[in-house]
Structure formats: C-alpha cells, structure tokens
Amino acid sequence: MGYWALVGTIENWELALQKGVWGVGEKAKPLWQRVQPGDKVVFYAVKTGILGYGTVQQKFISNDPLWPREKQEGRALWPYRLTIKIEEKFEKPKPRPKNMFVAFAINKLTEQAFNEAIH
C-alpha cells in the first residue's frame, strides 16, 4: 500500500470531495502512474491545510471538463484522475506536518507522515 498527498486549491477540493474524484495534469503523470487502487491519500488545500483522507478506488483518464477552470477553458486540464472513497472530511482543516511534502500535485508520503497528517 502506498501513501500520497494530493494537493490543490480549496475551490477545486470542494468539488472533488463532493464527487469523490481528483485529477492531475501532465507534469504529475509519472507520479499518478505509481498510485494504485487501495493506496491511501490525504487531501491538502494550498494555504488552507489538510481537509481529510481517503482510499484510491480506481484510476482513469478523462478529457471531460469537471472543475470550474476546465469548464471555462472547455478542456480537461487535469485528465489523469483518481476515484477516491472518502474516509473522513475534517470539520476544520488540520495543519500540514513538517515532514509532509506538498510541492507537486501528487506527493509520495511515508506511512508515518500520512498518520501524522490525519491524527
């Protein structure tokens, strides 16, 4: 089992958590390819914090615009997608642990960093 931090804006997370879907662009494709069903993910909103966590159900590619910016542009900006079973959405965002890397749209985590992020 792998552990990952998925990073995006609070606006994109609001829709993603409603639909149980997250997407990333071409730059993140190599990391997206490493994510597997059953892997655990934390949801991190830039400048906000950790919103919750879940389990990856499946991976797929879609060119259908889903997020507001994609709909504005009329194309998928984040076509590499994950269907996620949301385990918990936190009432208030939690601060990011120091050992949790969030530089990319998908970031590999250690089991320890994942556990620190969700507790």
Side-chain angles (χ1 to χ4, degrees):
M1 176 187 326
Y3 299 90
W4 306 89
L6 304 177
V7 180
T9 65
I10 188 69
E11 295 80 16
N12 283 356
W13 272 116
E14 287 170 0
L15 181 65
L17 292 173
Q18 285 175 9
K19 297 194 176 278
V21 174
W22 189 244
V24 298
E26 192 65 38
K27 286 183 181 176
K29 182 181 177 185
L31 287 169
W32 173 84
Q33 289 174 316
R34 293 175 51 197
V35 177
Q36 296 300 315
D39 285 357
K40 300 290 186 182
V41 294
V42 295
F43 316 129
Y44 180 76
V46 178
K47 298 180 184 173
T48 303
I50 298 166
L51 304 176
Y53 65 95
T55 304
V56 175
Q57 300 295 294
Q58 65 179 357
K59 296 174 12 175
F60 64 102
I61 298 172
S62 175
N63 289 314
D64 294 332
L66 179 63
W67 289 273
R69 187 168 150 213
E70 289 183 326
K71 288 184 177 189
Q72 281 178 338
E73 294 191 24
R75 64 188 179 97
L77 303 170
W78 306 291
Y80 302 102
R81 299 186 180 170
L82 303 169
T83 303
I84 300 166
K85 178 183 178 198
I86 297 166
E87 306 290 338
E88 185 173 359
K89 277 180 15 183
F90 302 135
E91 276 187 45
K92 288 188 339 187
K94 295 184 179 218
R96 176 177 62 90
K98 291 179 187 148
N99 64 344
M100 188 175 126
F101 191 61
V102 295
F104 305 109
I106 298 177
N107 302 275
K108 185 78 174 130
L109 297 178
T110 63
E111 184 176 2
Q112 178 185 355
F114 176 82
N115 287 327
E116 284 180 31
I118 66 169
H119 291 106

